[in-house]
Structure formats: structure tokens, C-alpha cells
Amino acid sequence: MSTSTSEFQLTIEKQMEIVQGVELLNGVEDLYGGITLQMEKPMDSEAFLSALRASISQWIHQGKRAIWVKLPTELVNLVEPAVKEGFRYHHAEPDYVMLVKWISNSTNTIPENASHRVGIGAFVLNDKKEVLVVQEKSGKFKGSGVWKFPTGVVNEGEDIATVAIREVKEETGIDAEFLEILAFRQSHKSFFTKSDLFFVCMLRPKTFDIQKQDTEIEAAKWMALEEYAAQPFIQKHSAFSSVAQVCLTKLEKGYVGFSPVATTSASGKTNYQYVNSRDLHRL
Amino acid sequence: MSTSTSEFQLTIEKQMEIVQGVELLNGVEDLYGGITLQMEKPMDSEAFLSALRASISQWIHQGKRAIWVKLPTELVNLVEPAVKEGFRYHHAEPDYVMLVKWISNSTNTIPENASHRVGIGAFVLNDKKEVLVVQEKSGKFKGSGVWKFPTGVVNEGEDIATVAIREVKEETGIDAEFLEILAFRQSHKSFFTKSDLFFVCMLRPKTFDIQKQDTEIEAAKWMALEEYAAQPFIQKHSAFSSVAQVCLTKLEKGYVGFSPVATTSASGKTNYQYVNSRDLHRL
């Protein structure tokens, strides 16, 4: 990419003037024309600003497109100078904020931040056609008397199947094996402006004696699946009655969901793909 | 909740002293014992700090548990005082940063930020058993010669099905109808520390003349599905060959995925649930 027509371009003379006497910042290059500065050592905000300006001049000259600045909480004094230099927030986690500035005159292709939270509901069915249900001590179902599936949040880096097994164990003490995903739901504005994906996972119990967790769980028990599905709250809201119908169909007529298959990506990572294994392997 | 044993509790006398002469901040209460401050007007950082301290004293006294502070980019001067007052980053979007502080002595239940990015790949099959494929101008497939499905990112607030239709139209000019999700993949550390969910969507084309988008797309065409699946790159990586196998099975043997059903949640929102409709409605 040529920078000769860039509106951001400084003359060579001007760049040299800025660079002289100012230490440049060291960044890590990525495959998309970006530079990431992982600031770690304490720095005076004036010194940071001078070094940032000089470094950006050089990166523009080199045809770079985006500059990322990662500031750990301890370097909060550098947030204001970065924003005043035209950086905007990209994302933040408890221990840092990431800012970014597009320095090219080509179309801005900075990817958006994570957009979805992911949750699971665990449908654990025993041989007596009973489902594992709980009542929670807090949240929107508190005090409602509704018996619900154990649920949980899938955080970054966690496999859906692993979280389903863990949440069942944590809430009820039951060991279970992951079988398949029966259905999922996408909803919006569930957490600030973020969207939500909720996966209904079927598990086979390997133990049966319930040891409920006391902090979050008011009660836990095995309940006939028909009785679960017949609860007025479940019947009233189609988001719930639809899931109950899927579970009843699974029990009675052989409903097939998506089951996990380990696959390898181009970068060599092992990931789980979820597919209709019955149809895929039918002769 | 009693605050009598709270390590954060100030004596009533101390609180009154702080409150006197300092304007308190107005927050919006939520259902979980939280208060959200949506700061909008410019404010001196010293005045903010005094008002924040006095307000927090009052909220601790009232048994509140978490304080959220939303600071738009223009109020970047208030980030440093908030962090020094014990707030930590929760999340950030291009135009604001959200900070949070847990002020209760009960277990911290602040929910995590969005954890996943969501993408789609569009499997658009015409009546000649040809699939719609593209080559991209940038990204990891650039210059590789690999023909791939049109892909796109599902941002917050967007339905998976809508994005699949839109991306096909944008990249190739083809109008298509959404049918079902054939498979999906979860991967980790795909974007900083965030995880990724990628949905393989099947669409039926309603038009057939390709008008490719010039900025991102190098080439687009209809290609025999067998030829797509036989590409060395696809064969080499099981994450891709597995999807190709699902598509071939769909064509040849009647593979069934998950199709969307509109449902209503307890809060009255309409959401899409994705289920195996064939199994669900089989007599």
C-alpha cells in the first residue's frame, strides 16, 4: 500500500524532526498490517504521548494500518493521552483496556469485539424417565417455585460440553456424560447490548444420589419429565415449552441433535464441531 | 442483607461528614443489588471523586452490592480516578468504557463480559448441485487459491439467519432463502482471548447471476460441490473436510440440521430457537 496520498502522511522532514531525540515504542506486528503495543512498565503520560506520536509517524510511513495499545490497570494514567491522540476503546477485561487507532486511508477493517455470551442448560435424564431439576436461590426464577434444568455460563476458552458436565456436578453432585446438543436459542440485549446463545445439552447420568450445592441452589431432585413439561411457567412461554417438547420427543420418538466431533483447523488447533452424527454416518 | 459486619462499612458519623456539602451521584438500580451511573456531562475529576466516594458510602449503607460506572469517551478524564477508587474495567465498546466495583462483603457475582464472537459460513446450493464459492482479497486465505463459502461476522443484536442472507447478497449479489444450520464449531483464542462459534448455514438461492463485491472479493462462482470438497486445502484440515462431508451428505442422503422456530421468552421477547424440525414434527 502506498502512503503517498495519505491524508495522515507527514513530510519526511517533519517525521525526522519528531523522531529525533524521542524513544520509539516497540510493537508486535500482526498479519493484517497492525501493530500491538503491550505497555507494561510505568510511564509518564507526557513521555508516552511524545513516543506514541513519533512511533505513529514511523508506522504511517511504513504503511501500517492499525495501532493497538493494551494498557493494564496499573497504567490507567495513559488512557487519557491515548484517547486524546485519537485512539478509541476496543474492548476491556478486568485487568486491562485495549485501545485502537486506524492510521491508514484505506477502509477501516478493525474487527468488532466479542458480541455474544454463551450459556448451557443441562437435560439429564435417568432410566426412569426422570429429569434432574433445581430451584435457584437468586436470579429471575428465585421464589417462583419453577423447577428448571441446571444452567451455567460458558466463559471464554471453555468447551460447551465441559461446562455442561461441570455445572451439573457443581449444582447437584451428579456425575454425567455429555451426549449431544438438542437445540439452541439466540437472544438479544440479554446483557447490556450483548446477545446470547443458549445451548440445550443432553447428558446421561453416571451417578444418581443428589448432593445439592448450598450457596446457589435452593432444592434439587429427580422429576418425571412429563411433570417438568406440565409446569404452568413452562407451558406459558414458548421458549421453554419448545425445549420441553424437544426433550419429550427425544424420550419418546428418537429426536437427534448435534454431537461433538474433534476436528483440526488450518492453524493446527483441535476444536469441537457439532453435527448430526446419525445422518452423517448412516449408510 | 445486613451491612453491620461489612469491612467496607463506614460509621454513620463518617458517612454524614462525607455527604455534607457534596452532591451525590444519581444511579439507576437493577434487580441484582446494583447501581449504574451513566455519566454524561463533563465533570472535573476531583469533583467526581468526592461525589463518588460520598455516593458509595450511602450505597453501602443501603446494602447495595455492585456499582457500575459507564464513561463515554469524552469523559476519559474520569477513568483514572475511578480506577484509583478501586473500580476495575468490565468491558468497553468504541464509545465508552464500563467500570465496576463490588461493594458488598457477600460473594462477588459480577457477570463476565461477552466471551464469544460468532461467525457464519453460507452453503448455497443450486439445482445443478453447484455451491456458491468465493476467493477473498485479504485475510488468511488471500492468494491461496482456495475457493470457500461466503462468510461473515454476526454482531450483537443480529440474527444468525439474517447475517447469512446478507453476507451472500453482499459478497456475490445472490438473493437466497435461509433453510437451516447444518453444523457448528466452537474454537478458542480466536480473537485475543475470546472464543468463537462458527455456524454452517444452508441457503437456497433465489437468483443465480453473480455480481461480486469488488472491495473484499477477488472472485466468485458456482462450483460443483464435489470439486469444492476435493480441494487439497479442504481435504487436509478436518475442520473443513468435516463440513464438506456434511454438505455432501445433505445433497446425497438427506442430512437434517437445525432450523429456526420463533419463540417467546418469559420477558416477552421473540427469539429464534434452532431445532431438528424433522424429528420434532415426525408422526
Side-chain angles (χ1 to χ4, degrees):
Chain A
M1 193 191 71
S2 164
T3 59
S4 62
T5 58
S6 166
E7 62 180 305
F8 300 100
Q9 193 188 27
L10 301 174
T11 63
I12 299 296
E13 294 73 21
K14 181 67 176 166
Q15 283 186 49
M16 295 310 293
E17 184 186 295
I18 294 172
V19 171
Q20 273 173 0
V22 175
E23 195 185 348
L24 298 182
L25 299 167
N26 284 320
V28 177
E29 299 193 28
D30 63 37
L31 293 172
Y32 304 91
I35 297 278
T36 301
L37 300 176
Q38 303 226 17
M39 304 300 295
E40 281 161 9
K41 292 180 189 158
M43 197 169 184
D44 170 72
S45 61
E46 283 300 318
F48 171 67
L49 200 52
S50 302
L52 185 62
R53 283 180 181 154
S55 304
I56 288 177
S57 299
Q58 196 176 64
W59 292 321
I60 290 173
H61 188 61
Q62 291 169 355
K64 297 301 173 197
R65 312 205 301 167
I67 310 302
W68 302 80
V69 177
K70 183 177 178 179
L71 296 175
T73 311
E74 309 83 74
L75 302 189
V76 64
N77 65 308
L78 305 184
V79 176
E80 188 171 356
V83 166
K84 295 204 165 154
E85 200 55 26
F87 283 75
R88 63 167 180 77
Y89 303 122
H90 184 270
H91 66 275
E93 294 298 324
D95 57 344
Y96 75 89
V97 60
M98 179 74 83
L99 298 113
V100 67
K101 181 178 183 174
W102 188 252
I103 61 168
S104 160
N105 60 350
S106 61
T107 306
N108 181 333
T109 56
I110 293 170
E112 292 208 27
N113 187 12
S115 53
H116 284 65
R117 296 219 308 161
V118 175
I120 60 94
F123 171 53
V124 187
L125 191 72
N126 70 17
D127 289 343
K128 298 181 201 163
K129 302 184 180 180
E130 291 169 332
V131 60
L132 184 63
V133 290
V134 300
Q135 289 185 341
E136 292 173 349
K137 284 191 175 173
S138 62
K140 58 186 170 188
F141 290 99
K142 177 185 174 183
S144 67
V146 177
W147 291 95
K148 59 185 282 293
F149 293 172
T151 52
V153 174
V154 182
N155 291 319
E156 57 186 44
E158 294 183 329
D159 283 325
I160 291 168
T162 307
V163 173
I165 292 167
R166 184 188 68 204
E167 291 292 336
V168 168
K169 179 70 175 175
E170 280 182 9
E171 295 191 3
T172 69
I174 298 292
D175 291 309
E177 172 192 3
F178 184 89
L179 297 179
E180 59 180 351
I181 288 171
L182 297 185
F184 66 88
R185 177 169 64 236
Q186 189 190 25
S187 53
H188 303 303
K189 292 187 185 295
S190 70
F191 182 67
F192 299 107
T193 58
K194 299 297 180 184
S195 296
D196 190 276
L197 279 162
F198 180 82
F199 293 90
V200 179
C201 302
M202 185 173 191
L203 291 85
R204 179 190 295 130
K206 297 193 285 186
T207 62
F208 302 92
D209 287 337
I210 293 171
Q211 299 285 336
K212 84 170 181 73
Q213 192 255 42
D214 286 332
T215 317
E216 299 170 27
I217 304 299
E218 184 65 39
K221 67 173 182 177
W222 292 102
M223 180 187 227
L225 181 56
E226 284 78 4
E227 192 185 343
Y228 165 82
Q231 293 180 95
F233 177 88
I234 304 291
Q235 287 293 312
K236 189 175 171 189
H237 305 289
S238 60
F240 292 86
S241 61
S242 166
V243 169
Q245 194 56 45
V246 163
C247 295
L248 285 166
T249 307
K250 178 77 194 176
L251 178 63
E252 294 161 8
K253 298 181 202 166
Y255 177 101
V256 171
F258 284 175
S259 47
V261 180
T263 61
T264 307
S265 73
S267 59
K269 283 193 284 190
T270 298
N271 301 312
Y272 283 104
Q273 246 171 39
Y274 293 81
V275 298
N276 180 334
S277 292
R278 182 193 61 187
D279 286 3
L280 193 57
H281 299 123
R282 192 168 44 190
L283 293 180
Chain B
M1 193 191 73
S2 166
T3 60
S4 62
T5 57
S6 166
E7 60 180 307
F8 300 101
Q9 194 188 26
L10 302 174
T11 62
I12 298 296
E13 294 72 21
K14 181 69 177 166
Q15 285 185 49
M16 294 311 293
E17 184 185 296
I18 294 172
V19 172
Q20 272 171 2
V22 175
E23 194 183 351
L24 297 181
L25 298 167
N26 283 320
V28 177
E29 299 193 27
D30 63 37
L31 294 172
Y32 304 91
I35 296 277
T36 301
L37 300 176
Q38 302 227 15
M39 304 300 294
E40 281 160 9
K41 292 181 189 156
M43 197 168 185
D44 170 72
S45 61
E46 283 301 318
F48 171 67
L49 200 52
S50 301
L52 186 62
R53 284 180 179 154
S55 304
I56 288 177
S57 298
Q58 196 175 64
W59 292 321
I60 290 173
H61 188 61
Q62 291 169 356
K64 298 301 174 195
R65 313 205 302 166
I67 310 301
W68 302 81
V69 177
K70 183 177 178 179
L71 295 174
T73 311
E74 310 83 73
L75 303 190
V76 64
N77 65 309
L78 305 184
V79 176
E80 189 171 355
V83 166
K84 295 201 165 158
E85 199 56 26
F87 282 75
R88 64 167 179 78
Y89 303 122
H90 184 270
H91 67 276
E93 294 298 323
D95 57 344
Y96 75 89
V97 60
M98 180 74 84
L99 298 114
V100 67
K101 182 176 183 176
W102 187 253
I103 61 169
S104 161
N105 60 350
S106 61
T107 304
N108 182 332
T109 56
I110 293 171
E112 291 210 26
N113 187 11
S115 54
H116 285 65
R117 295 218 308 161
V118 176
I120 60 93
F123 171 52
V124 187
L125 191 71
N126 69 19
D127 289 344
K128 298 179 201 164
K129 302 183 180 180
E130 292 170 332
V131 61
L132 184 62
V133 290
V134 300
Q135 288 185 342
E136 292 173 350
K137 284 190 174 174
S138 63
K140 59 187 171 188
F141 290 100
K142 178 185 173 184
S144 68
V146 177
W147 291 96
K148 59 186 283 294
F149 294 171
T151 53
V153 174
V154 181
N155 290 319
E156 58 187 42
E158 294 183 329
D159 283 326
I160 290 168
T162 307
V163 173
I165 292 168
R166 184 187 67 204
E167 292 291 335
V168 168
K169 179 69 175 176
E170 280 182 8
E171 295 191 4
T172 70
I174 298 292
D175 291 310
E177 173 193 2
F178 184 90
L179 296 179
E180 59 180 352
I181 288 170
L182 297 185
F184 67 88
R185 177 170 64 237
Q186 189 191 25
S187 52
H188 303 303
K189 293 188 185 294
S190 71
F191 182 67
F192 299 106
T193 58
K194 299 298 179 181
S195 295
D196 190 276
L197 279 163
F198 180 82
F199 293 90
V200 180
C201 302
M202 185 173 191
L203 292 84
R204 179 189 295 132
K206 298 192 285 186
T207 63
F208 303 92
D209 288 338
I210 293 171
Q211 299 285 337
K212 85 171 181 72
Q213 194 253 41
D214 286 332
T215 316
E216 297 170 27
I217 304 299
E218 184 65 38
K221 66 173 183 177
W222 293 102
M223 183 186 223
L225 180 56
E226 284 78 3
E227 192 185 343
Y228 165 82
Q231 294 180 93
F233 177 89
I234 303 293
Q235 287 293 312
K236 188 175 171 188
H237 305 290
S238 60
F240 291 86
S241 61
S242 165
V243 168
Q245 195 56 48
V246 164
C247 295
L248 285 165
T249 307
K250 178 76 194 177
L251 179 62
E252 294 161 7
K253 299 181 199 163
Y255 177 101
V256 171
F258 284 175
S259 47
V261 180
T263 61
T264 306
S265 74
S267 58
K269 284 194 283 189
T270 297
N271 301 313
Y272 282 104
Q273 246 173 38
Y274 293 81
V275 299
N276 181 334
S277 291
R278 183 192 61 187
D279 286 4
L280 193 57
H281 299 125
R282 191 169 43 190
L283 291 180

